[in-house]
Amino acid sequence: MQHDYDPRGIETAAQAFWDEHQSFKAVEDPAREKFYCLAMFPYPSGRLHMGHVRNYTIGDVIARYQRMQGKNVLQPMGWDAFGLPAENAAIKNGIPPSQWTRSNVAYMKGQLRSLGFGYDWDRELATCDPDYYRWEQWLFTRLMAKGLAYRATAVVNWDPIDQTVLANEQVIDGRGWRSGAPVQKREIEQWSVRITDYAQELLDALDGLTGWPEQVRTMQRNWIGRSEGVYMEFGLAGSAEVLGIYTTRPDTVMGVTYMAVAAEHPLARRAAETDPGLAAFIEECRRGGVSEAEIETMEKRGYPLGLNAIHPVTNETVPIFAANFVLMGYGTGAVMAVPAHDQRDWEFAEKYGVPKRQVIHSPDGSPCGIEACAYVEKGVLRDSGPFDGLTSAQACDAIATWLQERGKGEKRVNFRLRDWGVSRQRYWGCPIPVVRTPDGGVRPETNLPVLLPEDVVVDGSGSPLKRMPSFSELPNGEFRETDTFDTFFESSWYYARFCSSDCTTAMLDERARYWLPVDQYVGGIEHAVLHLLYARFFHKLMRDEGLVDCDEPFTRLLTQGMVVAETWYRGGADGRKEWFNPADVEVTRDDKGKMLHAVLKADGQPVLFGGIEKMSKSKNNGVDPESLIARYGADTVRLYTMFTSPPDQSLEWNDDGVEGAYRFLKRLWTLASAKAQPIGAAPAVADLAADLDGATAAARREVQAALKKSLFDYERQQYNTVVSGCMTMVNALYRLDDSPGAQAVLREGVSICLRLLAPIAPHVTHHLWQELGFGADILDAPWPAVDEAALRQDSIEYVLQVNGKLRGKVTVAADADRAAVEAAALAADCVRRYTQVGVPGTDDARCVTPQISEVRVRKVIVVPGKLVNVVVN
Ligand code: ANZ
């Protein structure tokens, strides 16, 4: 066996072995328990980053672990290949998006292979392949037929940089999620999918997703945002029309002093036709933000429509305003304003001098005035005519009933969730399979797939499809839709297509029924709402098409933590920061590790610490996985990412830690190569277990104890402590001597350690397993089990402390109770020297009379199985 650990040779050979034996090819087998493990597929941006490496290592550890439990494992990989960056790169480099994407895919595939991930590459898919996207086009035509996809003019979030519509979820703090540009409101005709039809089911089913982090379920619940309220109609003075509103506080109806409608509300628009001031106000609102956070904080502004509404209970008239804080897309786009009991309405009323009318009072007579702010609590109704004296809860019911009886309203459940607008005015996406007919109608395309032309010039001025008559012009005066799908469309069902990736006759086939649902999904928390909600929705759409038979796509979800690193910068003259890679910075620290100062290696001049941030290009604090693999090998990179923190927590990058991971694998290697011969020849430990000497039995016990803990940690997906358990084992094994018993324990210990490490560092363990003669393929080895007998101990060694200082050790029977342990500790010479006054050797021996022997023990602390601390005066 070679002497030095050479990761490169070992890893290439192991990968070749897996290829040759098709080790990760997944074949449906109803007789075996299946396990479908999936990590979120990457966007082919060009190179893998450390976040990918961590994500895919976690997935691979789980997949290999389940495989070694004997399950039939599917772990596929593919590419989320449509999207804007390809178009931007095309503009910059003058190459078609398809070419850029496919060459990135090829490169990144090589990188994934070099990490030794156990993927069934036969199932690889890229969402830009017509074989893939044709099926979502097909599903869309089915949704059209069912009325679940529809076209409507809608006010949308418009990203002026990316020149596209954004979903609400893609607007973060009023800015486009990708471009960062302030979002504008625009009215545009687009295709939407009725996710709201599934809102209740999507909400209810969250309760059953017990394998998901609570945080993600809460985020989805909030996003769906179910509220129970009342829809009611106000009359319009001088007209037969009505103004419908939605409120969650019908108990405040008697306090309404004005109405407010969104700037885009038809009523406001109509009034603007004859009022230029109002038209200008509406135009201004268009520019405002659309996010709720922004609306919450912005100045509340309005403009009177010159119209009055008629109160449904009192028949009084109240003025109607257009207001910038009313959202067109929520409820009915109109609200009844109750300035006494709603803070927004209160601020608005203060500003425009509208009266406030208090109708809710605190039930216990505590102060509830509305001079300084609205009284928003629930309470008891006053000045409320027929509803006086009712509590808010009673009034909500009574008022709903009152309105219902008069045909003026009803109880209603409202969702914050909007239908999913799926049209994007971009080129590099899946064409929406729709044809516009000369009469202004639409029909689904029957001849699928609608192929996206790939040989195009993208120059930045909108989608090239719009300038391609060969694509858009059809016979008989018809036109093809030139919008493409939101790329979340593709990523909403790829997990299912992996099951039937080569099926040419349908979107999915019976294999999907075997593999689905995904047993374990792994990915970033940033997808908690967008991707994971859409995928759950799509799953239900496919279920209702009869394509799958389960209700939810992902049984367990692991959201991995971010990879973070230090950031360093200098402020430029123009106020911009220049960021330096941590590898180029030399940091001086004091002996406690505190930073003293830092300089750029290149020029020796100081740089400033910018905090610990997610690894990113913009902060230049990334580490390139490829160079790490070249230097240390894939196993070290994998081991490091697993060892440094639990998967769901953030991982703070540390170069010394990588070095440490590498040293551990070398140490394992050295142990195995130095002892390869005796390991090969060692007797079975079972034959000798009863006769092991004390030190050998102790080493075996240590290995078994670490094994027991590691098995538990594997189950709870805490791989960092699995690795430290393996380190403990290797240390114990190094201490063994050459006796036959010790060799048997060594053999057993190495075989346990290799198997435990196999999912994490698969190459070196694969190699050593074969070299040491344990078997042909560690993947097929039985998972190690604990020998409980080895854990039993006749005696336990306790560490003895006096006032917290180590003073010696004592051995007591393993079944000794607390009193016996305490007595043994107090009787030990090394302790007695400090507890007996006047005994020679104690500090104050000189100043007391030698014949007095006085016990000075104040307290004895026993940590069972470990330590006794004796506290003395
Ligand atoms: C009157 C009222 C009085 C309200 C009061 C609140 C407190 P959730 O719980 O989120 O569903 N609202 C309704 N439609 C709106 C829109 N398009 N834009 C802005 N605000 C809108 O919120 C429902 C409440 O939000 C409704 O109840 C309405 O204000 C407001 F003391 O009606 B309320």
Side-chain angles (χ1 to χ4, degrees):
M1 192 172 153
Q2 71 200 55
H3 270 298
D4 290 330
Y5 173 44
D6 161 33
R8 191 184 299 248
I10 290 169
E11 291 178 2
T12 317
Q15 287 160 17
F17 177 94
W18 296 325
D19 280 347
E20 193 190 324
H21 291 82
Q22 298 203 313
S23 301
F24 305 107
K25 186 169 178 56
V27 181
E28 298 71 29
D29 177 357
R32 290 176 63 201
E33 188 183 348
K34 64 93 185 178
F35 192 92
Y36 182 1
C37 182
L38 183 67
M40 290 178 184
F41 69 162
Y43 177 76
S45 55
R47 297 176 80 82
L48 290 185
H49 55 64
M50 279 321 297
H52 290 129
V53 173
R54 187 176 194 204
N55 194 189
Y56 301 139
T57 304
I58 295 168
D60 198 43
V61 169
I62 296 172
R64 285 172 180 267
Y65 169 70
Q66 294 293 343
R67 158 86 184 253
M68 291 181 78
Q69 305 306 304
K71 302 214 181 119
N72 188 21
V73 171
L74 165 62
Q75 190 187 205
M77 183 41 77
W79 309 94
D80 189 11
F82 277 136
L84 262 183
E87 286 182 55
N88 295 336
I91 297 166
K92 208 166 132 209
N93 310 321
I95 43 168
S98 64
Q99 208 179 312
W100 183 82
T101 305
R102 287 182 219 281
S103 74
N104 287 350
V105 163
Y107 191 81
M108 290 170 76
K109 183 172 177 180
Q111 291 189 306
L112 289 176
R113 281 180 167 278
S114 77
L115 279 153
F117 297 134
Y119 298 137
D120 179 355
W121 283 109
D122 289 351
R123 295 175 187 253
E124 179 182 4
L125 58 82
T127 55
C128 64
D129 290 338
D131 287 349
Y132 181 81
Y133 67 67
R134 65 173 298 170
W135 295 113
E136 73 189 39
Q137 291 180 336
W138 169 81
L139 184 72
F140 187 78
T141 60
R142 293 288 311 137
L143 297 180
M144 282 174 78
K146 287 179 169 176
L148 285 169
Y150 63 96
R151 138 186 110 125
T153 313
V155 179
V156 296
N157 306 300
W158 178 257
D159 185 320
I161 300 245
D162 283 348
Q163 294 274 307
T164 190
V165 170
L166 300 173
N168 275 339
E169 300 92 310
Q170 292 167 324
V171 180
I172 295 154
D173 294 336
R175 290 171 183 273
W177 71 292
R178 220 194 62 80
S179 72
V183 166
Q184 301 170 351
K185 290 183 204 166
R186 269 213 188 173
E187 204 166 283
I188 221 163
E189 181 178 278
Q190 63 161 4
W191 286 95
S192 287
V193 184
R194 284 192 208 282
I195 190 171
T196 49
D197 274 17
Y198 287 78
Q200 191 66 53
E201 190 191 347
L202 286 166
L203 180 68
D204 292 342
L206 285 170
D207 294 337
L209 293 180
T210 50
W212 283 38
E214 190 50 50
Q215 184 199 6
V216 176
R217 295 199 282 165
T218 304
M219 286 164 84
Q220 292 216 350
R221 268 188 207 107
N222 292 341
W223 189 260
I224 295 168
R226 183 184 194 275
S227 77
E228 285 179 13
V230 165
Y231 166 80
M232 66 176 94
E233 288 175 348
F234 284 64
L236 269 188
S239 151
E241 286 174 82
V242 292
L243 175 60
I245 63 103
Y246 172 75
T247 178
T248 44
R249 291 291 304 272
D251 55 320
T252 65
V253 70
M254 302 303 278
V256 172
T257 55
Y258 67 100
M259 307 293 285
V261 300
E264 305 89 345
H265 195 279
L267 219 49
R269 284 217 211 164
R270 205 183 327 139
E273 285 168 14
T274 53
D275 183 345
L278 178 59
F281 174 77
I282 293 173
E283 187 50 37
E284 234 174 279
C285 289
R286 220 175 244 279
R287 270 177 261 134
V290 285
S291 83
E292 280 177 29
E294 216 167 331
I295 285 163
E296 199 77 2
T297 51
M298 74 188 177
E299 190 195 351
K300 314 289 177 283
R301 290 185 313 119
Y303 196 100
L305 298 190
L307 297 171
N308 288 316
I310 305 167
H311 194 283
V313 184
T314 64
N315 288 326
E316 278 172 39
T317 55
V318 290
I320 309 177
F321 288 82
N324 64 348
F325 61 84
V326 183
L327 303 165
M328 191 58 218
Y330 189 71
T332 62
V335 303
M336 63 176 209
V338 189
H341 302 297
D342 180 280
Q343 188 56 25
R344 281 185 311 198
D345 299 349
W346 189 94
E347 287 170 30
F348 189 93
E350 280 285 297
K351 182 162 174 176
Y352 293 100
V354 189
K356 307 183 189 86
R357 186 185 298 160
Q358 181 163 10
V359 290
I360 309 285
H361 291 259
S362 60
D364 56 4
S366 55
C368 59
I370 57 159
E371 297 75 29
C373 62
Y375 179 69
V376 298
E377 308 299 322
K378 300 208 164 155
V380 180
L381 276 71
R382 279 198 220 152
D383 302 317
S384 294
F387 312 110
D388 257 3
L390 296 181
T391 64
S392 286
Q394 292 165 337
C396 286
D397 274 338
I399 291 168
T401 310
W402 192 97
L403 291 166
Q404 184 133 14
E405 282 167 2
R406 288 158 184 80
K408 291 181 175 183
E410 63 188 17
K411 280 193 179 174
R412 212 174 256 187
V413 169
N414 203 46
F415 291 95
R416 196 176 152 265
L417 185 70
R418 307 282 87 220
D419 275 342
W420 177 15
V422 294
S423 302
R424 295 292 178 274
Q425 294 65 48
R426 305 300 319 183
Y427 157 70
W428 187 234
C430 169
I432 298 181
V434 163
V435 173
R436 292 169 188 272
T437 53
D439 58 0
V442 283
R443 64 172 176 87
E445 175 59 82
T446 43
N447 189 13
L448 297 178
V450 178
L451 290 175
L452 180 73
E454 295 200 359
D455 192 15
V456 294
V457 177
V458 186
D459 59 11
S461 56
S463 166
L465 289 183
K466 307 211 185 301
R467 299 186 299 271
M468 290 179 82
S470 57
F471 176 78
S472 59
E473 283 179 16
L474 298 173
N476 308 323
E478 291 189 322
F479 280 92
R480 196 182 286 299
E481 170 66 80
T482 54
D483 283 354
T484 52
F485 283 129
D486 178 2
T487 57
F488 279 109
F489 219 67
E490 285 87 60
S491 56
S492 295
W493 69 284
Y494 78 106
Y495 67 89
R497 181 67 186 175
F498 277 133
C499 304
S500 313
S501 58
D502 57 0
C503 179
T504 54
T505 52
M507 188 174 194
L508 302 174
D509 55 22
E510 70 285 355
R511 290 173 291 175
R513 293 208 172 83
Y514 174 75
W515 291 113
L516 291 174
V518 172
D519 295 277
Q520 176 74 63
Y521 199 28
V522 185
I525 186 83
E526 66 274 21
H527 294 298
V529 196
L530 297 122
H531 162 61
L532 287 169
L533 190 62
Y534 291 148
R536 294 183 57 221
F537 170 48
F538 244 81
H539 193 83
K540 293 173 197 298
L541 293 176
M542 294 191 292
R543 177 200 60 193
D544 294 348
E545 266 310 309
L547 293 164
V548 293
D549 52 14
C550 46
D551 292 323
E552 285 286 330
F554 313 118
T555 306
R556 283 185 80 172
L557 171 69
L558 190 158
T559 47
Q560 102 254 15
M562 288 188 295
V563 182
V564 299
E566 292 174 353
T567 58
W568 299 96
Y569 71 98
R570 281 180 193 153
D574 57 357
R576 286 223 194 151
K577 288 176 178 168
E578 187 185 356
W579 297 94
F580 301 101
N581 193 275
D584 301 328
V585 175
E586 174 116 38
V587 186
T588 313
R589 298 175 195 268
D590 68 11
D591 37 336
K592 293 207 177 75
K594 201 175 139 224
M595 277 181 224
L596 294 175
H597 63 269
V599 294
L600 190 67
K601 286 178 190 163
D603 61 12
Q605 296 302 307
V607 289
L608 297 170
F609 182 56
I612 303 218
E613 301 267 354
K614 177 179 177 177
M615 277 189 182
S616 72
K617 271 198 191 130
S618 61
K619 295 276 167 75
N620 190 12
N621 63 339
V623 173
D624 178 31
E626 197 169 292
S627 62
L628 276 186
I629 297 166
R631 186 153 166 210
Y632 297 105
D635 281 338
T636 292
V637 178
R638 295 174 58 124
L639 185 85
Y640 170 74
T641 53
M642 290 301 100
F643 176 50
T644 311
S645 50
D648 58 346
Q649 270 155 51
S650 59
L651 184 162
E652 190 178 329
W653 195 264
N654 174 334
D655 288 334
D656 295 342
V658 184
E659 221 17 271
Y662 183 58
R663 269 201 310 275
F664 169 64
L665 290 183
K666 268 206 310 210
R667 204 168 137 71
L668 173 69
W669 177 270
T670 309
L671 175 73
S673 65
K675 309 262 176 150
Q677 283 280 306
I679 287 175
V685 77
D687 302 338
L688 303 170
D691 307 320
L692 298 177
D693 64 53
T696 310
R700 181 160 191 248
R701 198 157 46 238
E702 226 177 304
V703 170
Q704 291 287 335
L707 167 62
K708 186 165 184 171
K709 179 150 189 319
S710 295
L711 296 183
F712 175 67
D713 290 340
Y714 254 115
E715 274 302 303
R716 59 180 184 142
Q717 302 183 324
Q718 190 159 307
Y719 308 112
N720 55 327
T721 45
V722 169
V723 176
S724 50
C726 290
M727 291 174 168
T728 307
M729 284 183 201
V730 169
N731 286 341
L733 297 175
Y734 259 101
R735 287 202 305 270
L736 290 166
D737 60 24
D738 290 335
S739 66
Q743 297 304 309
V745 170
L746 176 68
R747 181 183 163 86
E748 179 195 48
V750 168
S751 94
I752 288 172
C753 191
L754 291 179
R755 280 176 289 167
L756 285 180
L757 280 175
I760 299 170
H763 307 87
V764 65
T765 49
H766 166 87
H767 179 92
L768 291 175
W769 189 258
Q770 283 186 341
E771 280 289 318
L772 297 173
F774 287 121
D777 189 350
I778 194 167
L779 281 168
D780 296 331
W783 193 244
V786 178
D787 178 355
E788 290 290 342
L791 289 173
R792 268 200 295 281
Q793 235 171 316
D794 298 337
S795 57
I796 298 176
E797 195 173 55
Y798 276 82
V799 168
L800 297 179
Q801 295 180 334
V802 178
N803 287 351
K805 268 213 187 110
L806 178 67
R807 294 300 181 193
K809 288 178 175 172
V810 69
T811 303
V812 295
D815 56 3
D817 63 6
R818 193 196 146 94
V821 172
E822 212 178 298
L826 291 172
D829 282 347
C830 62
V831 171
R832 276 169 57 90
R833 262 191 280 146
Y834 299 91
T835 55
Q836 309 280 305
V837 175
V839 175
T842 56
D843 297 342
D844 50 0
R846 275 160 292 120
C847 51
V848 289
T849 342
Q851 58 268 46
I852 300 174
S853 174
E854 189 179 298
V855 179
R856 355 172 330 193
V857 176
R858 271 209 301 147
K859 195 159 133 193
V860 182
I861 299 157
V862 179
V863 180
K866 293 217 164 67
L867 150 161
V868 182
N869 182 18
V870 180
V871 182
V872 300
N873 289 321

